Amino acid sequence: MRAVAIKALQCGSIPQHIGLIMDGNRRYGRKVHVGNGKGYYLGYETLEEILAVCMEMGVKVVTVYAFSIENFKRPADQVETLMELAKTKLAELCEHSELVRQYGIGIRVLGDTSLLPEDVRQVIRKAVDLTKKNNRAILNMCFPYTSREELTMATRSLVSGIEAHDLNPRQVSDISTSVLEQSLYTRSCPPMDILIRTSGEIRLSDFMLWQSSRACHVEFVDCFWPEFTFWKLLPILLRYQLRAISIAQSRREYSRGEVAEDDVNGDEGVLLNTDIGNARQTALEQDQEMSRRNSSESTLMTSETDKTAGVESPCGLTLEKKQRVISFLHHRGYIPNCPIVHLQ
Amino acid sequence: MPSPSPALTLRRRGGSPSRDTSSTDELTLKQQQQQQKEQLKTSRTAADLIADHPAIKPVTIPASQGTPSSSSSSSTQEGHPTGESSRTTTRTPTATTSSPSIASRIIHILLKPFYFLLFALLHLGHELVISTRTMKTLVQVFFLPHLFPIAPELVRIVRKDVGTDLVKKPTHLAVITQKSGITLTGEVDETEEDEWHARVAQLAQWSSAVGIKTLSIMRSTPLYPEDLEALQDRVNHTMKDFYKEEKRVPIALVRTLRPVEESLSLVFQQNNSQATIQRDLRLHGGRTFDLDIVILSPEDGHDRLAGNVRHLGKAALRQQISSEQITTSFLDTQLSADLTEPELLIILKDDLDLSNYPPWHIRLTEIYHHPDQAVIPVYTMFLQALHRYAKCEQRFGK
């Protein structure tokens, strides 16, 4: 029944990037009298189910809010439970999961992992490392994540890049919105299409503030996360499909507006204009840089694309300037646990 | 620009000289194999098709699950993703067994019109549900005037409607409006612009009655500076009208956000004891006010953050700051200098769309929206949003 419904939905447009705030595990655990800890495990099972559904439909990226930096304020035993859950489930996902293998899911962990204990960090590194070559789909686990921290990290890395490479003010003026977007944790991901929050709360709680603020369908659902099934997701997808055309149109308008902004900001156009072009250009350049240094993080690059990158840039860039840009982009390029990947 | 076709990237990867890990050598071999198979697929004989039939050859992945990528039936696309899945931790014994069989593909193509019918039925059913909900809202709205006026004209009416039992009230209310009279291309529609001005004045009246200190309104295009004065006059006029039974008319001042460059100096000047007073004085050039109205446009969202980065970068080049100083609280002080965080956000659009409202500020904002807002009077939305906000419990991570 579910497969039939999915095939039917595929006649319309399928979102590329879905965000989920998995709220209400503890309250659900209390509601069915199994306790808070078991509530988290039930929540994980629901996540697996929804992930399977999304992959079957053809969703490219699923981003889930597993743990917020604010959640460290919770009682120590709850935090401990969550860390244990994360360790076991991440290990399971990267090694034994049929889902990951079948759909080629790359696991990414977004957020400031330096706040986590060392054993969790090791598990995360291993999980990301094992799946980094998978590029058919991405599962972003936000652990621990705060959208403000993400924006701060992006700003800091851009400014430190400017300092390190001593760009002149005119080149600084070329830093556009898309460059900032490429410095966030979600930079190899398409723009977010749907953001769902369960448990009836109507706020974003510091999740993906940048990504959901324009051309994104936000839904607040009134059930707890473990109660969220495919049949509750179905009307949300139908509503998204009704809105898909206007979302695509507003994205086009925004990118047109950005082209105008870049024209105003810098005539040299050191960094490319359109979102898509920028994504590919920066990803390509970063990969190129990394492959030159024999890093194991890049998935595709050859000298050919170097030439095509040159062809794609709108204005004639001198080689020296391009090198400066490439090294600048590379300086701020490395985020641990989020390798750059080209989604198919 | 179009992304390179899968086949092209395969070929590139196959020919890359800089691979030096052993696993990738195997991968390129596998890809070359895959490529050859793809080239051969176009010239398959009947014998090949029979050999491929699931009844004869062993199948490792069940045919019904097939590939997740859509309903396209081109052979290159189907061959390619399965080639990719073989690159992950386990390897399937042969590349051909993992592609869906011819039979299941044919069945899928035949069933397509039925799937489309189901798709249409699903959407139809969904539309029916939406329509019934809108009907129900319409009926409720019809009976409203007996309870609340559609647009109250005096302060005491608003105060009575809001009641005294609101546990908490927002100090900053944000509203996202549908559109303004100015389109993206710059054409001005006078009546719509006028309606928008009227809406702002109404919201100003109601907010001042409830005791809200800041009202920020998001519109779809920037406000022309000359219109700002017209708006201020309009607001002054309506406030006087609204408060005609009261002794004192509150002062509401309208502004837009100041340029990014000024915010950095404020971070250095801030000392907490006088921060709010100084801020109030600074915002409106020294005049006192009761209600601060901020008019925002889409360029105050993402673009303002990017402009902030540019500004910080230039400051770093001038050695005024260093990148280590940039922490969340630093950015918070800088970005909140001009605009505080709204506690409640009302979206007056048909879809729940944040419309590029400054993302930094809506971290913990309660977002109030009703999909039938076109038929619900704005006053009702306003009251309901306030009541919903008063009931909510914010746990802040705990």
Side-chain angles (χ1 to χ4, degrees), chain B residues 146-157:
Chain B
H146 300 282
L147 299 171
F148 305 111
I150 297 296
E153 284 158 9
L154 291 174
V155 175
R156 59 177 168 80
I157 301 177

Side-chain angles (χ1 to χ4, degrees), chain A residues 107-135:
Chain A
I107 298 180
R108 306 275 180 275
V109 174
L110 313 186
D112 191 7
T113 45
S114 61
L115 298 167
L116 297 171
E118 179 59 36
D119 46 353
V120 183
R121 260 187 284 166
Q122 270 182 0
V123 175
I124 289 177
R125 260 199 297 270
K126 180 157 162 259
V128 173
D129 216 34
L130 276 178
T131 52
K132 68 176 177 239
K133 296 266 190 282
N134 299 354
N135 61 356

Side-chain angles (χ1 to χ4, degrees), chain B residues 60-128:
Chain B
T60 50
I61 296 177
S64 62
Q65 287 188 8
T67 61
S69 57
S70 80
S71 43
S72 105
S73 50
S74 73
S75 58
T76 36
Q77 269 202 324
E78 278 175 318
H80 180 67
T82 54
E84 292 306 314
S85 69
S86 70
R87 290 198 304 156
T88 56
T89 45
T90 59
R91 311 234 183 277
T92 55
T94 54
T96 47
T97 53
S98 46
S99 62
S101 66
I102 307 289
S104 75
R105 256 185 271 154
I106 292 175
I107 292 171
H108 183 75
I109 294 171
L110 281 179
L111 279 178
K112 253 204 179 151
F114 293 102
Y115 287 137
F116 192 79
L117 186 66
L118 184 59
F119 170 75
L121 279 173
L122 277 172
H123 270 283
L124 207 62
H126 185 66
E127 284 291 336
L128 273 172

Side-chain angles (χ1 to χ4, degrees), chain B residues 235-308:
Chain B
V235 166
N236 289 344
H237 187 72
T238 44
M239 290 291 270
K240 252 204 311 235
D241 224 12
F242 198 64
Y243 279 86
K244 59 180 178 240
E245 289 183 1
E246 308 288 315
K247 287 184 284 269
R248 187 183 154 270
V249 181
I251 304 171
L253 296 177
V254 182
R255 66 181 173 99
T256 53
L257 288 183
R258 302 159 83 83
V260 179
E261 285 75 23
E262 299 181 15
S263 56
L264 191 57
S265 51
L266 296 164
V267 178
F268 297 127
Q269 287 170 17
Q270 290 259 353
N271 54 350
N272 287 322
S273 53
Q274 300 173 320
T276 18
I277 308 169
Q278 277 182 349
R279 191 174 163 274
D280 286 352
L281 286 175
R282 177 182 37 87
L283 287 178
H284 284 283
R287 298 173 285 172
T288 54
F289 56 89
D290 299 291
L291 174 63
D292 179 24
I293 305 178
V294 190
I295 308 291
L296 301 165
S297 60
E299 62 197 22
D300 289 323
H302 286 194
D303 299 336
R304 194 173 169 88
L305 283 171
N308 200 34

